[in-house]
Every structure is written in C-alpha cells, then in structure tokens.
Amino acid sequence: MLELAILGLLKERSMHGYQLSKRLTDSLGGFWRVSYGSLYPTLKRLEKQGAVEQVFDEQEVGRRKNVYRVTSKGEKLFQELLEEAGHESSSEENRFRVRLAFFKYLAPDTRIRLLEKRRAYLEERLSTIKTSLSATSERFDTYTLSLMQHGRDSTEQDIAWLSGLIAAERGAAKPTREATKRREARALRRKERTT
Amino acid sequence: MLELAILGLLKERSMHGYQLSKRLTDSLGGFWRVSYGSLYPTLKRLEKQGAVEQVFDEQEVGRRKNVYRVTSKGEKLFQELLEEAGHESSSEENRFRVRLAFFKYLAPDTRIRLLEKRRAYLEERLSTIKTSLSATSERFDTYTLSLMQHGRDSTEQDIAWLSGLIAAERGAAKPTREATKRREARALRRKERTT
DNA sequence: GGTTCGATATATCGGTCCGATATATGCAAC
DNA sequence: GTTGCATATATCGGACCGATATATCGAACC
C-alpha cells in the first residue's frame, strides 16, 4: 500500500522522503499517518527494485536530501498495484482509499470494476452485520449493540457513496443518452432488490 | 489490541484459539478479521506473561484443543489495556472499536473520558479535512475530492454518534429511580425509531 | 465399507507497517 | 549566541497479516 502511495505521489512530482511524509499525512485526506519506520525502508526497497531512482541536483549544496523520481519500471509497478484487487481485510480499508486517491490513472472500466468489487464486499459485510443484529440482539450489551448499529449505518452510507461514484462513472463512460438511461434504470432496480 | 480482545472474550468464557477467531471475526461486529498468524502467537505470549492459562479437561479424549482461561494477572492486564488512551493512529480505528466492545468493564467516568478523547480527536481531524477542502489553492481531482468529502461526512456522523453515547452515559451517571425509568422509555423509543 | 469433502484446530514463515527514538541541519526569534 | 522548532534521514523491536502446512473430525455420497 505504501509503495502505491509513494509511486502515485512521485508521479506528480519528484520528492524526498520528508516531503512524501508531509503529503501522505496532510494532503491525502488525513486518514493515514505514515511513519518514518515504514517510509524510508519502503523508499529503499523501491530503489532496489528499480522502481524509483535518486535525483542529484548539482547546485544544491545545503543539507542532505534524497530526492527520488519514478522510473518506467516504477510506472509499470504503480499500474499493477493500482489495479490489484484487494484482499478484503481491515487494512484494505486504507488500501481502498489510497487507491481511490489515484483513480485518475486507471481506465474507466477498471475503475468501475474496482468500485463494484468494493461495494459487493461492503454489501456482504452489511448483510452479516444485519444478520448478527437481528438474530441475537438481546445477547449484546448496550455498547456492542450501538457499535454494531453504527457499523451498519456507516456501511450503508459507504455503499450509497460508492453507488454514486459508480453511477457517475457510468454516466461519464459512454455519454450516449439512451444507454445511460437504461443503465441507470438497471442500477435502480438492482438497488431496490438488494435493499 | 489483540491481547485486549482475547482477554475480553476469555473473561466471558474459556475458549480455545479457533473459537476465539470465530468470535473475533463474526460476533465482534465483523469489522476485523483476525489472522491465525496473530492469534496463536498472541495466545502463547499471554500464557508466557501469565495472563492466561490452559484448562485441561480430563474426559475430553478427542482432538487436541488448547483451551485457555484468564488468570487474575490477566484480569489486571485487561483493565490496563482497556483504560489505556489510544495513540490516535489509523490502527486506533479498530482499537477504539475493540475497546468499546468491552466498555461494560469500565467505570462510567472512565467511559466518558475515553469517549470524549475519541470525539476530540475526530473533531480535530474533521477541522483538518474541512481546511483542506476549503483551501482552493490545492486542486484535487474528482476522486480525491469525493474521498475527502465522504471522509468529512463520515467523521461528522461518527462525532454525532459519540455525542449520543456520551449523553447517554452522562444521563446514566446518577441512577435516580424515576430518571432511570424515563431514560429506559427514551431508549426504547429511540431503538424503535432506528430499527 | 470406503472415500471424499468441508469445518475444525494448531502452528509457523516472511513480510509490511508502526511507534519510538537517535541524530543531525537550517532558520528564525529572543 | 543560544534556544527552540521544523526539516531530514535512519534504525530497532514488535504487532499484525497473508499464505500455507498439517492433521482430525463428521457427514454426505457412492
């Protein structure tokens, strides 16, 4: 995941480690605080793999900075990591967000595939939560119950958000007026079935 | 975090590793999928620390099972882990949820303190996101923008949820008989609305 | 009766990431 | 001039994950 994030940021502009950590912590939504214990080893790993390389600025005499640039090998790796379907785990929460932050580098149909995969996973999880809640709601204490209810509500909102993104993506993919209408109708029907 | 979750579940009932993994994956909200690569080493670590001990059931002759029970040392450790204020990182998302699942083992004022701390953190993050969003100097693409907007909305809803929990906690702090009845009536009505 | 298969159960390996910490340098304020 | 803060790189131990190996049990099927 860090490799993906680093490559994505370096694609936009060559940077050194500290700049990357700032961009990752501040700009990328603030949902992930990257540690140096991850960042610097990952940079070295990427360099060893030939995915990034150091840029040496001659006139810079001041303090030591390791500025990195993406190589063509790194571009390739970036695309692979970006398209890689996730493993649906807890760390996949962040992984998905990082991926979304670089979605502009993906083809529209790949974007739709990834969004739908994520939505399918959330829908599965939602139904699990709902089953858990309706089956044994008396067994849970107030806090666990509230936690699960909140989990259910959040998941529903995440799904709605994803559906919006998918719809927008479909609308932008083939701007044929008739096809769009048919697609939206299908999406609506599908939504009504699963709700 | 895993130590906390394991001790909390073992407090309720002595179990072996596989049962713990089921309970962690299924019952605890479904938001965390625990791997065996974490679970079994953690159990051994806890045993080494003297926080849990094996239970040997004599009549059981069948397949090998390592059933564990919490010791008094483990009870102490559990309380410490439960009260420990988090480090506000990305792994703290799960940590907070796990902690909440065992909130019943905490004193009301500790509960309020932890909830408020969490809320304060989320409010800080919310303001960061809002600042980022309103600063037009940095232009985000559609996806990053949507990600941040969704992050903002989700955070706002999390804060509202926490505020509800805090209010309920404050209301329950002084258990006057009449107040309790009124509160239960409110809770019931609230439950009926949300279900 | 045999076998196949999925759920149960424990264990370990390599790897990613985190949190803490150490160690410098540039810079501005006092 | 020195104090303090942001900048900048680096590493250590540890937590957790994903994959995989291994083995047992029960039920289902032929």
Side-chain angles (χ1 to χ4, degrees):
Chain A
M1 173 167 41
L2 231 195
E3 292 187 356
L4 172 62
I6 288 174
L7 290 173
L9 289 179
L10 287 185
K11 254 174 93 76
E12 291 164 5
R13 185 162 61 86
S14 293
M15 281 185 268
H16 54 83
Y18 194 75
Q19 281 176 309
L20 281 167
S21 91
K22 287 283 162 236
R23 287 274 286 145
L24 286 167
T25 305
D26 300 341
S27 307
L28 216 64
F31 50 77
W32 190 22
R33 180 176 306 191
V34 182
S35 93
Y36 298 130
S38 313
L39 185 62
Y40 287 108
T42 304
L43 270 172
K44 291 205 164 167
R45 199 167 65 235
L46 284 172
E47 194 185 14
K48 209 174 175 184
Q49 289 171 11
V52 302
E53 60 188 9
Q54 284 208 40
V55 181
F56 297 103
D57 195 345
E58 283 90 34
Q59 37 254 55
E60 198 99 33
V61 200
R63 129 128 126 283
R64 166 183 175 212
K65 284 178 196 171
N66 305 345
V67 178
Y68 291 95
R69 162 177 47 204
V70 187
T71 65
S72 59
K73 204 169 172 180
E75 296 270 359
K76 212 182 135 202
L77 177 60
F78 174 73
Q79 285 297 326
E80 283 170 17
L81 291 173
L82 195 51
E83 293 179 33
E84 217 169 58
H87 305 297
E88 292 168 1
S89 70
S90 76
S91 62
E92 180 61 18
E93 304 297 303
N94 266 348
R95 221 182 229 102
F96 176 76
R97 286 193 273 252
V98 172
R99 196 170 284 124
L100 192 65
F102 298 116
F103 241 40
K104 60 180 170 184
Y105 295 117
L106 283 175
D109 55 338
T110 311
R111 291 203 280 253
I112 292 178
R113 185 171 55 79
L114 290 177
L115 289 170
E116 282 179 336
K117 174 151 191 178
R118 172 78 183 158
R119 184 173 63 176
Y121 164 63
L122 287 183
E123 273 166 350
E124 200 190 314
R125 189 164 77 171
L126 177 60
S127 94
T128 305
I129 296 173
K130 278 183 172 172
T131 307
S132 242
L133 268 171
S134 64
T136 54
S137 80
E138 288 116 26
R139 286 228 300 264
F140 297 113
D141 64 294
T142 320
Y143 300 104
T144 308
L145 197 61
S146 179
L147 179 65
M148 292 176 73
Q149 285 165 351
H150 184 243
R152 177 197 58 196
D153 299 344
S154 299
T155 306
E156 276 171 353
Q157 274 148 22
D158 282 13
I159 289 170
W161 170 61
L162 285 173
S163 294
L165 287 178
I166 291 167
E169 200 65 59
R170 287 234 177 77
K174 287 189 221 160
T176 315
R177 204 167 282 282
E178 284 310 309
T180 306
K181 276 184 186 166
R182 268 181 273 120
R183 232 175 294 118
E184 278 167 356
R186 274 202 305 278
L188 188 63
R189 265 178 274 129
R190 187 161 48 245
K191 195 184 172 188
E192 284 167 352
R193 271 203 308 279
T194 55
T195 308
Chain B
M1 173 168 40
L2 230 195
E3 291 186 356
L4 171 63
I6 288 173
L7 290 173
L9 288 180
L10 287 185
K11 255 176 92 76
E12 291 164 5
R13 184 162 62 85
S14 293
M15 278 184 272
H16 55 84
Y18 193 75
Q19 281 176 309
L20 281 167
S21 90
K22 287 283 162 236
R23 286 275 285 146
L24 286 166
T25 304
D26 301 341
S27 308
L28 216 63
F31 52 75
W32 190 22
R33 180 176 306 190
V34 183
S35 91
Y36 298 131
S38 312
L39 185 61
Y40 287 109
T42 304
L43 270 172
K44 289 205 166 167
R45 198 168 66 235
L46 284 172
E47 194 184 15
K48 208 172 175 184
Q49 288 172 11
V52 302
E53 60 186 8
Q54 284 209 40
V55 181
F56 296 102
D57 194 344
E58 283 92 32
Q59 38 256 59
E60 197 99 32
V61 200
R63 126 130 125 282
R64 165 186 175 206
K65 283 179 198 170
N66 304 345
V67 178
Y68 291 95
R69 161 177 48 204
V70 186
T71 65
S72 60
K73 204 170 174 181
E75 296 270 0
K76 213 181 136 205
L77 176 62
F78 174 73
Q79 286 297 325
E80 284 169 17
L81 291 174
L82 195 53
E83 293 178 32
E84 218 168 58
H87 307 297
E88 292 168 4
S89 70
S90 77
S91 62
E92 180 60 18
E93 304 296 303
N94 267 348
R95 221 182 228 100
F96 175 76
R97 285 192 273 253
V98 171
R99 195 170 284 123
L100 191 66
F102 299 117
F103 242 40
K104 61 180 169 185
Y105 296 117
L106 284 175
D109 54 338
T110 311
R111 291 202 279 251
I112 291 177
R113 184 170 56 77
L114 291 178
L115 289 170
E116 282 178 337
K117 174 153 193 178
R118 172 77 183 159
R119 184 172 61 175
Y121 165 63
L122 287 182
E123 273 166 351
E124 200 190 316
R125 190 164 77 170
L126 178 60
S127 92
T128 306
I129 297 173
K130 279 183 172 172
T131 306
S132 249
L133 270 171
S134 63
T136 43
S137 57
E138 268 198 298
R139 279 190 199 162
F140 300 110
D141 64 294
T142 320
Y143 300 103
T144 309
L145 197 62
S146 180
L147 179 65
M148 291 178 72
Q149 285 165 351
H150 184 242
R152 179 197 57 197
D153 298 345
S154 299
T155 306
E156 275 171 354
Q157 273 149 22
D158 283 12
I159 288 170
W161 170 60
L162 284 173
S163 294
L165 287 178
I166 291 168
E169 201 64 60
R170 286 237 175 75
K174 293 177 197 170
T176 316
R177 198 170 287 279
E178 284 309 309
T180 305
K181 276 182 188 169
R182 269 181 271 120
R183 225 176 299 118
E184 278 167 356
R186 274 203 303 278
L188 186 62
R189 265 179 273 130
R190 191 161 45 241
K191 194 186 170 185
E192 283 167 354
R193 271 204 308 279
T194 55
T195 307

